[in-house]
């Protein structure tokens, strides 16, 4: 039987699956070789270094998160369902959520820059239209909920998956109401 040819994509896919199942700290040449049932030589030949491979895994995690959110949102409740989708994802895929959240964002020096880089600007327009508020207030509300959702998602990703979604979504709703009240008061 001929030997299986290991490709760069196979190495990245194996590293991603290891990270997904066990966390980024388990992505090592030896664990990738074991997963691919090969020697470490092909892994070394495709990876300039482990940091480069981990960046590729983080990119795959970001794409996974984006696709997960896209397929779990309700177009009729874009704003609320997006926040709930992030929390569900954090509970279902805690290692990928942590990789996504904790990856370094280079050249981000303000929350505004974070907002622009991490969100879909169309959502603020939808929020403004649905709530009949100015776009700047909608962006502020969206930023507040982004920060809150990342925080509560992080809690979900590092605690038992037995946390009640009902309780978490209730807390999200309370935060939303408080942030909305503040935005409307400032208006």
């Amino acid at each position: 039987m001929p030997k299986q040819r290991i490709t760069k994509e196979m190495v990245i896919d194996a590293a991603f699956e290891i990270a997904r199942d066990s966390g980024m700290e388990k992505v090592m040449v030896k664990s990738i070789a074991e997963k691919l049932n090969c020697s470490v030589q092909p892994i070394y030949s495709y990876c300039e270094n482990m940091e480069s491979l981990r960046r590729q895994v983080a990119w795959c995690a970001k794409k996974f998160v984006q696709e997960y959110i896209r397929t779990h949102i309700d177009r009729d409740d874009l704003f609320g369902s997006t926040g709930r989708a992030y929390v569900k994802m954090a509970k279902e895929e805690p290692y990928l959520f942590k990789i996504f959240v904790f990856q370094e964002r280079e050249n981000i020096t303000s929350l505004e820059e974070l907002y622009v880089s991490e969100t879909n600007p169309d959502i603020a327009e939808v929020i403004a239209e649905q709530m009949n508020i100015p776009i700047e207030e909608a962006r502020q509300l969206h930023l507040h909920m982004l920060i809150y959702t990342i925080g509560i998602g992080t809690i979900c990703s590092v605690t038992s998956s037995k946390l009640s979604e009902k309780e978490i979504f209730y807390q999200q709703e309370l935060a939303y109401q408080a942030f909305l009240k503040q935005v409307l008061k400032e208006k």
Side-chain angles (χ1 to χ4, degrees):
M1 174 184 272
K3 285 189 171 185
Q4 177 184 6
R5 172 149 159 56
I6 304 298
T7 66
K8 183 175 184 175
E9 290 75 25
M10 291 168 69
V11 171
I12 293 168
D13 289 346
F16 175 79
E17 287 303 318
I18 292 166
R20 184 178 185 184
D21 294 339
S22 306
M24 189 70 91
E25 61 277 359
K26 300 294 183 184
V27 175
M28 297 177 280
V29 172
K30 184 179 177 188
S31 62
I32 297 167
E34 286 174 6
K35 185 148 187 84
L36 293 173
N37 197 25
C38 69
S39 72
V40 296
Q41 191 280 326
I43 289 86
Y44 282 120
S45 69
Y46 289 121
C47 303
E48 61 185 67
N49 58 49
M50 285 307 290
E51 189 54 39
S52 172
L53 179 60
R54 287 188 177 111
R55 277 194 303 274
Q56 290 174 310
V57 170
W59 183 85
C60 291
K62 181 177 183 175
K63 292 298 174 195
F64 181 95
V65 170
Q66 290 170 339
E67 181 62 15
Y68 183 98
I69 300 305
R70 188 188 68 73
T71 60
H72 286 78
I73 57 173
D74 175 358
R75 295 282 174 204
D76 296 327
D77 181 21
L78 190 61
F79 185 49
S81 67
T82 300
R84 289 187 296 276
Y86 272 102
V87 169
K88 282 181 175 252
M89 197 255 159
K91 286 176 62 89
E92 293 171 13
E93 299 283 353
Y95 293 115
L96 292 182
F97 186 83
K98 285 186 270 190
I99 292 167
F100 171 71
V101 168
F102 296 125
Q103 65 182 289
E104 185 175 343
R105 271 89 169 155
E106 295 178 8
N107 303 319
I108 300 292
T109 61
S110 70
L111 289 176
E112 176 61 23
E113 289 175 0
L114 178 72
Y115 178 79
V116 169
S117 75
E118 297 292 320
T119 64
N120 177 345
D122 297 339
I123 294 178
E125 292 174 14
V126 170
I127 296 166
E129 186 177 308
Q130 287 178 347
M131 304 182 85
N132 195 28
I133 60 176
I135 190 76
E136 271 313 306
E137 278 82 0
R139 285 172 58 94
Q140 190 64 42
L141 178 60
H142 193 199
L143 175 61
H144 286 316
M145 288 307 296
L146 172 69
I147 294 166
Y148 185 85
T149 299
I150 289 170
I152 203 160
T154 301
I155 291 168
C156 290
S157 73
V158 298
T159 58
S160 166
S161 62
K162 291 178 177 50
L163 286 174
S164 161
E165 281 187 5
K166 183 178 177 182
E167 178 185 13
I168 294 165
F169 294 158
Y170 175 73
Q171 291 300 319
Q172 266 186 313
E173 181 63 26
L174 288 178
Y176 165 74
Q177 293 298 329
F179 292 140
L180 177 61
K181 184 177 178 182
Q182 183 64 34
V183 165
L184 294 176
K185 189 168 98 174
E186 291 172 359
K187 182 180 165 186

